[in-house]
Amino acid sequence: MSAHEDTHAHEDHGHHHKETFVTKYIFSQDHKMIAKQYLITGTIMGVIGVFMSMMFRLQLAWPEKPNVLFEALLGKWAPNGVMDADIYLALVTIHGTIMVFFVLTAGLSGTFSNLLIPLQIGARDMASGFLNMVSYWLFFLSSVIMVISLFVEAGPAAAGWTIYPPLSALPMAQGGSGLGMTLWLVSMAIFIASSLLGSLNYIVTVINLRTKGMSMTRLPLTIWTFFITAVIGVISFPVLLSAALLLIMDRSFGTSFFLSDIFIQGEVLHYQGGSPVLFEHLFWFLGHPEVYIVILPAMGLVSEIMASNSRKPIFGYRAMIASILAIAFLSTIVWGHHMFISGMNPFLGSVFTFTTLLIAIPSAVKAFNWITTLWKGNLQMNPAMLFSIGFVSTFITGGLTGIILGDSALDINVHDTYFVVAHFHLVMGISALYGMFAGIYHWFPKMFGKMLNKNLGYIHFWVTAVCAYGVFFPMHFIGMAGLPRRYYTNTNFPLFDDLANVNVIITIFALIGGIVQIVYLYNFFSSIFFGKKSEQNPWKSNTLEWTAPVKHIHGNWPGEIPHVYRWSYDYSKPGHDEDFVPQNVPLKEGEEELQH
């Protein structure tokens, strides 16, 4: 912004019309309020998603035993308290959908991209406040439709979160293939519209609205990850939209994109010429970039929090940016590793194996850079830092099993077993959740002007960390023993009798881990109202959001927008009295800007 535009923008904000409750809290166009809306909606969806996982964990540990909880909550789906097979698959389906899209995509990117992009690049707000508001309300609408689908008489969508045809393409295939599946598709189509509007807004804001002096190489890594995440979203989400629309055509308008030679009870259906494998290609062309859409923002948050709490510059800033760009590029050419046993040409399998193993390189660069950032740092072990370190741990342990699954020869043995479940829950589920928790503990003072209770944060971290490994570590072993995913009971297979005890252990950890999130929820909501008031820069960080006043104002800064003179990682820099130098502090005479 030029000085002329800046003064004009400020005058504009001076005469801002009086806000009503509705324009301030509901249909708000202020990025800080929209971030809170995303966070609280994502939290509510997360509670539903985690609760579902606890339900089906109970079923897996004690199959065919009557359970009062099932009878109370599932009604006709649990006659005499024994869970029905159909509803088990529906719970798994909706759990996966909610956690991947509604919590880790919208809840994570929506919250922190909105909160931090304008504040960290030095902008008054997003490029388009109106589009930002529309994006949130579309997300809210899709969340409502997804929750409504749980109450459909024939049951919610039950084809797994990947909704492969024919279960998803034939309305008569099973109960959950009817109206529940239609609502799932409508909900996802609206969700994709929301995601695209948000992403376009983030991209334009980062490119156009950086303050004076904020070059791309002075941006915090958080902004780099949000920016690249939005780019990946814009490239890959339309492909899922096309898959959803073609599926709607197959279901309701008699086309045969994904169906061919189908028999139901001996009767031949009229579908000819379609291919369910085509759907897999379309789904995973989004599905794999999607896991990077989930994990990249968490990586950005963790990089920022680690540098701030190690009191030293992030190690390898430019290598970090290069690895983000490499991940973004490679993420679009690896989707075939989800399909090694779909009958694909073995040569094509070897190509996808090669590209998949390549993506381990930028991931490893990031992991080593985080470890090196911690090395000999003055570590501040607050809850945000613990979750960040936990993130690096789960990212590495989850990533190592990806090397096995990414190899077409090795994948055959463990494909569609609990080994896969263990892998992706650690590397993207738990890691992204840790990144999200780290971000919440770190930026809560910026969002609400209050501090979270540190001791409750410690309880939350340690119990969650132990339980997360307690759940997903044993899963690798039952997967290697051959236990398939998505079976509601394994009692029909004497082969798996020995694994029943392991399932009980996993379930106990899952229940404890789920219940301890109540500590976090209590901490979160009570601190909003009764927490200790925050100072302006509680963590002594360098980025611009901590130069804005604690009280939220429209336009973020009361006077002129701060100008930037240095990168965001000048921690413990020789020649300065403090161990941090905010980005808006001019260079001293003779001071060199760090060459990162």
Side-chain angles (χ1 to χ4, degrees):
M1 264 193 178
S2 68
H4 164 72
E5 282 177 72
D6 196 33
T7 49
H8 173 73
H10 189 209
E11 282 164 27
D12 212 45
H13 285 287
H15 303 299
H16 201 264
H17 57 89
K18 183 103 181 68
E19 287 195 307
T20 61
F21 178 83
V22 172
T23 57
K24 185 171 180 190
Y25 291 104
I26 301 174
F27 295 112
S28 172
Q29 296 188 21
D30 186 305
H31 71 101
K32 301 178 290 296
M33 184 55 68
I34 292 173
K36 293 182 201 177
Q37 291 176 321
Y38 266 110
L39 180 57
I40 288 171
T41 313
T43 302
I44 293 166
M45 294 302 279
V47 169
I48 297 171
V50 169
F51 188 72
M52 286 181 167
S53 64
M54 291 163 78
M55 296 269 282
F56 58 72
R57 275 311 326 167
L58 283 170
Q59 162 65 16
L60 286 169
W62 298 284
E64 290 157 25
K65 291 245 176 75
N67 188 314
V68 186
L69 191 66
F70 294 166
E71 200 159 15
L73 291 168
L74 299 175
K76 68 170 183 177
W77 298 109
N80 305 324
V82 178
M83 188 186 285
D84 186 70
D86 288 348
I87 203 68
Y88 175 84
L89 189 54
L91 286 171
V92 172
T93 301
I94 305 295
H95 160 79
T97 308
I98 284 178
M99 298 311 282
V100 171
F101 294 109
F102 294 80
V103 180
L104 296 177
T105 303
L108 183 57
S109 287
T111 300
F112 291 104
S113 300
N114 272 310
L115 178 73
L116 296 178
I117 289 176
L119 281 166
Q120 288 193 339
I121 66 173
R124 295 279 181 212
D125 206 310
M126 282 289 180
S128 166
F130 178 74
L131 268 191
N132 211 8
M133 176 187 79
V134 171
S135 163
Y136 168 72
W137 283 102
L138 286 174
F139 163 56
F140 181 81
L141 177 64
S142 73
S143 303
V144 169
I145 293 172
M146 191 58 75
V147 171
I148 286 173
S149 80
L150 299 174
F151 300 99
V152 169
E153 190 180 352
W161 81 277
T162 53
I163 59 160
Y164 283 179
L167 278 184
S168 57
L170 288 173
M172 69 292 269
Q174 55 170 354
S177 300
L179 180 60
M181 190 70 236
T182 305
L183 288 172
W184 191 100
L185 288 165
V186 170
S187 170
M188 282 313 299
I190 295 170
F191 179 87
I192 292 165
S194 151
S195 178
L196 287 172
L197 290 179
S199 294
L200 292 170
N201 217 352
Y202 307 150
I203 292 168
V204 173
T205 308
V206 172
I207 291 175
N208 283 351
L209 299 185
R210 301 192 306 281
T211 184
K212 190 167 186 235
M214 180 63 89
S215 62
M216 292 299 271
T217 48
R218 284 177 176 171
L219 285 174
L221 287 170
T222 38
I223 303 301
W224 267 104
T225 55
F226 300 147
F227 175 57
I228 299 301
T229 299
V231 172
I232 302 174
V234 168
I235 291 166
S236 55
F237 263 118
V239 181
L240 184 66
L241 184 61
S242 67
L245 290 175
L246 295 182
L247 200 49
I248 289 171
M249 301 294 282
D250 269 13
R251 293 169 53 78
S252 307
F253 301 102
T255 56
S256 305
F257 291 108
F258 305 133
L259 294 165
S260 186
D261 304 323
I262 301 272
F263 295 78
I264 287 193
Q265 292 170 343
E267 186 191 337
V268 188
L269 302 186
H270 66 276
Y271 298 105
Q272 277 299 308
S275 164
V277 177
L278 169 64
F279 178 85
E280 292 188 30
H281 279 291
L282 292 174
F283 182 90
W284 287 115
F285 189 81
L286 159 96
H288 201 78
E290 167 64 23
V291 303
Y292 292 100
I293 290 170
V294 162
I295 204 73
L296 276 175
M299 288 174 162
L301 298 172
V302 162
S303 302
E304 181 58 44
I305 292 165
M306 277 200 175
S308 178
N309 285 312
S310 302
R311 312 310 296 161
K312 51 183 282 214
I314 189 83
F315 187 90
Y317 174 79
R318 290 187 180 227
M320 284 296 220
I321 296 173
S323 62
I324 292 165
L325 295 169
I327 284 172
F329 169 66
L330 290 170
S331 76
T332 58
I333 53 169
V334 294
W335 78 92
H337 64 219
H338 296 268
M339 303 169 54
F340 284 145
I341 62 163
S342 66
M344 89 167 28
N345 183 323
F347 173 73
L348 187 59
S350 65
V351 173
F352 278 122
T353 298
F354 177 64
T355 55
T356 303
L357 297 184
L358 271 186
I359 211 164
I361 297 168
S363 305
V365 167
K366 297 188 93 55
F368 289 127
N369 283 356
W370 286 318
I371 293 168
T372 324
T373 302
L374 294 173
W375 180 252
K376 294 196 173 177
N378 172 17
L379 305 185
Q380 314 295 306
M381 286 297 187
N382 49 40
M385 182 64 154
L386 288 174
F387 273 112
S388 299
I389 295 169
F391 169 94
V392 177
S393 166
T394 54
F395 186 71
I396 292 171
T397 47
L400 284 173
T401 52
I403 296 172
I404 296 165
L405 293 167
D407 187 308
S408 53
L410 298 176
D411 174 67
I412 292 168
N413 296 305
V414 284
H415 189 93
D416 248 346
T417 66
Y418 272 90
F419 192 84
V420 180
V421 179
H423 158 71
F424 76 79
H425 276 82
L426 277 179
V427 80
M428 108 174 180
I430 299 295
S431 297
L433 272 179
Y434 281 2
M436 190 172 178
F437 283 138
I440 291 165
Y441 280 100
H442 191 77
W443 277 284
F444 190 87
K446 192 74 241 162
M447 274 195 253
F448 298 101
K450 303 283 179 69
M451 301 294 283
L452 283 163
N453 181 316
K454 204 170 171 179
N455 291 335
L456 290 179
Y458 288 140
I459 295 169
H460 177 214
F461 170 74
W462 284 111
V463 181
T464 304
V466 171
C467 289
Y469 271 135
V471 169
F472 296 114
F473 213 81
M475 273 191 195
H476 291 94
F477 300 109
I478 61 175
M480 286 192 288
L483 198 67
R485 294 169 68 178
R486 295 183 179 156
Y487 282 24
Y488 79 111
T489 174
N490 302 297
T491 45
N492 293 338
F493 306 99
L495 171 71
F496 299 134
D497 285 350
D498 296 346
L499 305 178
N501 295 339
V502 185
N503 259 330
V504 173
I505 292 166
I506 292 174
T507 295
I508 290 166
F509 276 120
L511 294 174
I512 298 168
I515 289 162
V516 83
Q517 303 313 311
I518 295 170
V519 173
Y520 157 74
L521 291 171
Y522 167 77
N523 194 0
F524 183 88
F525 288 106
S526 69
S527 297
I528 291 175
F529 300 106
F530 312 114
K532 192 175 107 223
K533 279 205 163 47
S534 163
E535 53 196 271
Q536 186 169 332
N537 188 355
W539 315 118
K540 310 240 174 304
S541 293
N542 292 341
T543 40
L544 291 181
E545 76 270 31
W546 305 107
T547 64
V550 177
K551 187 174 180 337
H552 286 180
I553 55 166
H554 201 72
N556 295 339
W557 287 272
E560 210 179 324
I561 293 179
H563 289 179
V564 168
Y565 300 96
R566 57 181 75 236
W567 72 327
S568 56
Y569 296 103
D570 271 346
Y571 291 103
S572 306
K573 193 173 187 185
H576 287 270
D577 303 334
E578 295 272 3
D579 68 351
F580 70 107
V581 193
Q583 285 187 277
N584 60 339
V585 174
L587 293 169
K588 291 179 174 177
E589 209 173 318
E591 181 188 355
E592 278 188 49
E593 188 178 356
L594 274 184
Q595 279 307 308
H596 17 275

